[in-house]
Amino acid sequence: DSGVTQTPKHLITATGQRVTLRCSPRSGDLSVYWYQQSLDQGLQFLIQYYNGEERAKGNILERFSAQQFPDLHSELNLSSLELGDSALYFCASSPRTGGPTDTQYFGPGTRLTVL
Amino acid sequence: GDSVTQMEGPVTLSEEAFLTINCTYTATGYPSLFWYVQYPGEGLQLLLKATKADDKGSNKGFEATYRKETTSFHLEKGSVQVSDSAVYFCALSITSGTYKYIFGTGTRLKVLA
């Protein structure tokens, strides 16, 4: 158990809908990262927050957005969902600013299925 | 651009065999290199890391050495166990204007008793 929690574990929804995925980092960790894992794209970095501020952006679609709240939990919002958004979404956290040497601790993931 | 290439799987070995999973990278700066392991139904866990050239990361019998001259970070273990069956990801992180986190496609390892 990494100490990172994600809810829900599974989510099934329809095309065009909007969903919110939630992540609670390890106690004391200030950085939160979001990743998408799909069969065709592999593991892709989406976005990173540090202490409430966006720190780095990866391959995140405009239909997706995220935020980190004062209590350091984070939410990833996915809207206008398409079939191709079906994937495992992982959250990770790290104790510092998320610089290149930081170890990331991954949660168990949320499996999103878009029908 | 920055990238990670790792060997295609699946890799199937007998228990106690020697394991090598190849990983090479392309980076414009000086990345940190990582191996993560993913067991079925779980998130990724850090296996080992190296943050500068010639560093050797090691954990649970696994080793990898950061080779700048060959831009490689191959994972090795002298004697695999059935419990090592998992998917292994090579990854790099780098500061290149912004932070970048890039993962390889993963290599599935199956160890037979």
Side-chain angles (χ1 to χ4, degrees):
Chain A
D1 184 352
S2 66
V4 178
T5 60
Q6 291 187 248
T7 56
K9 195 172 174 64
H10 300 278
L11 198 47
I12 300 175
T13 188
T15 54
Q17 295 298 304
R18 173 190 168 93
V19 297
T20 297
L21 312 184
R22 183 188 167 103
C23 168
S24 293
R26 294 186 325 154
S27 176
D29 282 1
L30 299 176
S31 278
V32 169
Y33 312 73
W34 286 99
Y35 290 87
Q36 179 193 60
Q37 186 179 38
S38 61
L39 283 175
D40 54 345
Q41 299 279 340
L43 192 63
Q44 299 278 321
F45 166 65
L46 297 178
I47 197 164
Q48 177 201 351
Y49 279 81
Y50 170 73
N51 206 19
E53 300 288 327
E54 183 182 303
R55 179 56 63 109
K57 209 172 217 183
N59 301 321
I60 188 165
L61 299 172
E62 284 193 12
R63 300 184 286 109
F64 296 1
S65 65
Q67 54 184 323
Q68 186 179 27
F69 294 87
D71 67 354
L72 301 177
H73 90 271
S74 178
E75 293 181 355
L76 179 67
N77 300 296
L78 316 175
S79 62
S80 303
L81 285 167
E82 302 174 359
L83 295 177
D85 298 327
S86 296
L88 257 176
Y89 291 83
F90 286 108
C91 169
S93 72
S94 71
R96 295 193 299 271
T97 61
T101 61
D102 270 15
T103 295
Q104 297 181 29
Y105 297 87
F106 281 76
T110 292
R111 181 170 293 282
L112 173 66
T113 302
V114 182
L115 301 175
Chain B
D2 304 312
S3 66
V4 172
T5 303
Q6 61 181 108
M7 61 189 287
E8 294 275 336
V11 173
T12 303
L13 296 173
S14 298
E15 206 165 24
E16 299 183 4
F18 185 85
L19 168 71
T20 301
I21 301 178
N22 290 336
C23 172
T24 57
Y25 68 90
T26 303
T28 50
Y30 301 97
S32 295
L33 302 173
F34 302 80
W35 278 101
Y36 284 87
V37 58
Q38 185 178 29
Y39 298 101
E42 298 183 12
L44 282 72
Q45 304 172 27
L46 178 71
L47 186 57
L48 52 85
K49 70 179 185 181
T51 58
K52 61 184 188 298
D54 301 324
D55 268 2
K56 178 188 275 190
S58 61
N59 186 28
K60 299 180 183 178
F62 291 89
E63 294 184 338
T65 301
Y66 188 144
R67 302 277 189 210
K68 189 166 180 287
E69 64 277 9
T70 55
T71 62
S72 65
F73 193 55
H74 305 321
L75 182 68
E76 296 182 335
K77 187 176 186 185
S79 175
V80 293
Q81 305 300 311
V82 172
S83 57
D84 294 326
S85 298
V87 181
Y88 292 81
F89 291 89
C90 184
L92 70 82
S93 63
I94 192 168
T95 303
S96 177
T98 182
Y99 294 142
K100 291 186 182 179
Y101 309 100
I102 299 170
F103 284 72
T105 52
T107 302
R108 182 174 300 278
L109 170 66
K110 185 172 182 180
V111 180
L112 305 176

